[in-house]
Amino acid sequence: EHGALCRWNVPRGEPLPTLRFASAKAPVSDLLSRDGTALVTRDGDGNITLWKLKNGLASMPATVDRPHALILAIASQGKALVFGDANGRVTYWAIPGGSRWTRFVSAPWLTAFSPDGRALAVNTFGNGGPALLDVETGELRSSREPGHKGPISAMEFFPGPRLLATGGSDNTIRIWDVATLQVQSTLVGHTAEIAALAVAPDGETLVSSAHDHKVKVWRDRSPEAILTIDDHPSLVERVCFSPDSSTLATCLKSSATEYRLFLWPA
């Protein structure tokens, strides 16, 4: 539904009351923070609003003065937003305080905050490796070694600031050392472009989905998957772990207007 946040009782698989952020006539794009405490929405008129969440309830809405900006990322607890534009500019927007810096990054569209909030990983056009932006200064640091043979299509930090996982159009997953931006391991097994990545909060398990309609489970950064889930009828667009690492959620589009959510005991 447009302008709605759907909530669920996970153990029972039952829906909870839906929260509405805009009218049904105003399509909403939204982004939830990694820790689940903040939500940023943009309605059909381009208005951007930041919502604080507690126990699934929204409060303290704040309007952000960046009409029609592309929302790239939201920091934990809603402390900052990252915006992009068609000219390749990335803007870091502190909450409160407003714009801190703007940096040109060639064709950024994929971003991820590090768990400590001090760095922002971005993909750049024509480079198979990630780049890191310092959130305090906007300084850009790029990988200099060969990475994916094609664009990065997914990225996810491990808990702690040391490791970053990226998936690419070359069907592989690479684990990068954040300090050196060097590849630590390459995971091979999918036969199509990587669509989504999730790292368990305990940092020991990585899950990937790809356009081959398969979900793979990897442990301890081993180059071979320990499990392949091929029960999904179509592309799994999102994968996510519960905070206690006990449950894996996978989400796919089942029709033009419906999504299906699967919960797996991890």
Side-chain angles (χ1 to χ4, degrees), residues 43-241:
D43 65 24
D45 295 324
N47 302 309
I48 296 173
T49 304
L50 178 68
W51 307 82
K52 297 291 186 179
L53 302 178
K54 185 176 182 180
N55 299 325
L57 300 177
S59 64
M60 299 175 59
T63 301
V64 179
D65 186 20
R66 292 284 296 180
H68 305 289
L70 175 63
I71 306 168
L72 296 179
I74 177 173
S76 294
Q77 301 180 22
K79 292 182 177 179
L81 301 174
V82 175
F83 299 106
D85 64 25
N87 296 317
R89 289 189 295 261
V90 172
T91 298
Y92 181 89
W93 191 280
I95 306 292
S99 177
R100 182 178 295 175
W101 49 258
T102 297
R103 173 89 188 202
F104 176 79
V105 179
S106 177
W109 63 272
L110 189 65
T111 59
F113 271 103
S114 62
D116 61 8
R118 297 180 180 178
L120 184 73
V122 298
N123 69 319
T124 56
F125 180 76
N127 185 5
L132 293 177
L133 282 162
D134 186 299
V135 301
E136 292 294 330
T137 65
E139 179 182 356
L140 182 71
R141 184 163 56 93
S142 300
S143 170
R144 295 185 178 180
E145 71 171 68
H148 294 279
K149 296 177 181 179
I152 293 174
S153 52
M155 61 172 59
E156 183 76 13
F157 278 95
F158 281 74
R162 194 173 69 86
L163 295 174
L164 172 70
T166 61
S169 61
D170 60 358
N171 312 343
T172 69
I173 301 162
R174 297 175 192 263
I175 311 298
W176 302 79
D177 183 289
V178 171
T180 62
L181 283 181
Q182 294 181 338
V183 176
Q184 298 296 297
S185 58
T186 300
L187 315 183
V188 179
H190 283 292
T191 58
E193 179 179 344
I194 308 302
L197 297 171
V199 180
D202 61 15
E204 297 179 357
T205 305
L206 171 70
V207 170
S208 59
S209 70
H211 288 260
D212 56 11
H213 298 178
K214 297 183 185 298
V215 172
K216 290 184 177 290
V217 181
W218 317 78
R219 291 280 291 180
D220 301 322
R221 300 183 291 281
S222 172
E224 296 184 2
I226 64 168
L227 178 67
T228 297
I229 303 172
D230 54 10
D231 299 345
H232 299 92
S234 60
L235 168 66
V236 173
E237 298 184 11
R238 296 288 186 272
V239 289
C240 182
F241 278 97

